[in-house]
Amino acid sequence: MRAVVQRVLTSSVTVEGAVTGEINRGLTVLLGVEDGDTDSDVKYIADKVTGLRVFDDENGIMNLSVLDVGGEILAVSQFTLLGDCRKGKRPSYIRAARPEAAVELYRTFVDACKEKGAKVKEGVFQADMLVRIENDGPVTILLDSRKLF
């Protein structure tokens, strides 16, 4: 499982002209589910996302999590995070989980973040989405449950 986590001032998802999810201060999480991912991958990513200390404390040091600052999470499914561009110029998505499995693990991720106390808004799984991200910092963190980076 892969995630691109961005600290944001605001972020939203629009599908067919309607806003489906919108947050203020918090994290936008672009989540890619890999073939073979399990609940343990979800737990790892949810623990990391909710615990990442990327918000400034009173001394201006990134030492607080999204939970600490009462921020929100916007979760957006994005299978293209599993795109492999090592050969040629057209990404291969063979490592991405099939939609039937991916949607279940995406839902599990959202639920796991909520169980930790996070306020979570969402995009629409498998939809053509317009994602607006006002990256604060910019702060962008890459996560991989298989710890490839």
Side-chain angles (χ1 to χ4, degrees):
M1 185 169 284
R2 290 199 174 150
V4 173
V5 182
Q6 296 186 323
R7 184 179 74 183
V8 300
L9 295 177
T10 63
S11 188
S12 66
V13 174
T14 302
V15 177
E16 296 179 5
V19 175
T20 63
E22 185 172 24
I23 65 169
N24 289 308
R25 184 180 189 204
L27 301 173
T28 296
V29 179
L30 307 174
L31 187 72
V33 180
E34 189 169 353
D35 189 35
D37 280 348
T38 66
D39 286 344
S40 66
D41 296 284
V42 172
K43 181 182 179 338
Y44 176 84
I45 296 293
D47 285 346
K48 285 288 189 182
V49 166
T50 56
L52 278 175
R53 297 180 344 177
V54 295
F55 293 90
D56 291 351
D57 63 16
E58 65 279 355
N59 297 313
I61 297 170
M62 286 196 294
N63 202 28
L64 301 174
S65 73
V66 69
L67 299 176
D68 295 331
V69 300
E72 302 171 285
I73 295 172
L74 179 61
V76 180
S77 64
Q78 188 173 346
F79 78 93
T80 60
L81 292 180
L82 280 300
D84 185 346
C85 299
R86 290 176 290 180
K87 279 186 160 181
K89 299 202 172 135
R90 181 177 177 191
S92 168
Y93 301 107
I94 196 154
R95 292 178 41 206
R98 302 291 312 150
E100 305 78 31
V103 69
E104 187 175 316
L105 290 174
Y106 168 77
R107 296 266 14 110
T108 303
F109 168 78
V110 169
D111 291 343
C113 290
K114 287 179 179 178
E115 286 172 13
K116 292 185 173 299
K119 300 171 214 153
V120 183
K121 305 289 176 65
E122 301 177 54
V124 176
F125 189 86
Q126 249 185 332
D128 186 13
M129 296 176 272
L130 173 62
V131 181
R132 296 183 196 277
I133 299 171
E134 188 176 0
N135 193 323
D136 179 22
V139 174
T140 301
I141 305 293
L142 304 176
L143 299 174
D144 186 288
S145 62
R146 297 176 188 190
K147 301 175 186 146
L148 297 177
F149 48 80

